[in-house]
Amino acid sequence: MAKKIIAVYGSSGSYKTTTAIALAHYISKTDPKANIILVGTDTTKPILPLIAPNEKKFKGSIGYCLSAVSFEQDILFKNMYMATDKIGVLGYNIRENANTYPIVSSDRIDDMYTVLRQSADYTIVDCTSDITSARLTSQAIIKADNTIELITADLNGVVFNSSQESVLQSEQYRYRSFIRLVSLDNRFSQDVNAVKAALGAISGEMPCCTKAAEAFNQGTLITNGVSDRTYNNVLKSIYKLIEED
């Protein structure tokens, strides 16, 4: 089986982190032999305290990896939190932000993704919404075998899509191969068909899942997943598209 990098990217509020975590759990249950690394790139909402809010002793961080003299596999594993026996999490830790570590070179980021690909069957990267200045995000999409783009089913999503599309058209991003999903919300009425018409090619819909949101907020999503058939069927469809590529 070829080792894959999967980038989860999209507009703000489109449940990128929830989807990345849920997908990691789904793959671990579908393919119990697979080793998975979940990478969090956000410095404003570090992923480690979201994954394990009650974990106080683990001090590792992606920031230490990127600041090391050289990025080696042992450094990666030392700074990776094992959420389960098959899912490791690499990201920024509690109270860290963009100014916690020195500015990282593009070469070092390339090294990181090279080592990640060698280290796991699936590397799932929870990206930010910023391509132009967030290099961990832009390089994740460039390196990814599959990019899942989540777009909110509202004016925010339509405007985001129109502003970013010109950037993504660059050949290095392979925009036409994105798995593009409209991310639904139950907080207000949405004209999903109108949004789809405005966005163009869409692979499907990511349903709003209260159980997933609750598990995310309890820090149990990566270990327990959710018992929601509609939501899990979409994860199944994403997994199939990844495996068919």
Side-chain angles (χ1 to χ4, degrees), residues 145-215:
D145 300 280
N146 304 93
T147 297
I148 301 163
E149 183 181 18
L150 299 170
I151 311 169
T152 53
D154 55 15
L155 186 59
N156 171 61
V158 173
V159 172
F160 173 83
N161 180 75
S162 63
S163 71
Q164 299 301 297
E165 193 169 32
S166 59
V167 179
L168 290 168
Q169 292 291 351
S170 171
E171 186 176 345
Q172 62 184 342
Y173 292 114
R174 291 171 288 137
Y175 183 53
R176 292 183 180 179
S177 66
F178 279 20
I179 300 170
R180 305 179 74 224
L181 303 172
V182 174
S183 186
L184 306 182
D185 203 322
N186 61 4
R187 293 174 298 176
F188 50 88
S189 178
Q190 298 168 303
D191 190 340
V192 178
N193 289 332
V195 170
K196 285 183 176 180
L199 295 175
I202 292 294
S203 303
E205 299 175 6
M206 176 58 72
C208 181
C209 181
T210 302
K211 290 182 179 180
E214 289 174 350

Side-chain angles (χ1 to χ4, degrees), residues 22 52-53 58 63 65 74-75 80 83 85 90 94 107 116 124 126 144 160 195 203 205 227:
F58 182 75
C65 292
D74 62 334
I75 295 290
M80 188 167 63
D85 62 337
L90 180 68
I94 192 167
D107 288 343
L116 283 167
I124 301 174
D126 175 29
F160 173 83
V195 170
S203 303
E205 299 175 6
S227 57

Side-chain angles (χ1 to χ4, degrees), residues 68-153:
V69 175
S70 62
F71 195 108
E72 305 292 346
Q73 199 172 60
D74 62 334
I75 295 290
L76 171 72
F77 290 140
K78 183 178 179 180
N79 285 279
M80 188 167 63
Y81 175 76
M82 293 305 299
T84 72
D85 62 337
K86 291 294 184 180
I87 306 175
V89 183
L90 180 68
Y92 290 98
N93 214 325
I94 192 167
R95 296 188 180 89
E96 294 184 342
N97 58 57
N99 296 317
T100 304
Y101 299 96
I103 295 174
V104 181
S105 69
S106 296
D107 288 343
R108 172 51 55 85
I109 294 172
D110 285 345
D111 291 342
M112 182 188 75
Y113 285 120
T114 297
V115 174
L116 283 167
R117 186 184 292 279
Q118 296 168 349
S119 303
D121 299 302
Y122 298 91
T123 298
I124 301 174
V125 186
D126 175 29
C127 298
T128 68
S129 299
D130 184 2
I131 306 175
T132 54
S133 58
R135 289 179 294 169
L136 283 172
T137 286
S138 60
Q139 286 300 106
I141 298 173
I142 290 170
K143 300 291 185 181
D145 300 280
N146 304 93
T147 297
I148 301 163
E149 183 181 18
L150 299 170
I151 311 169
T152 53

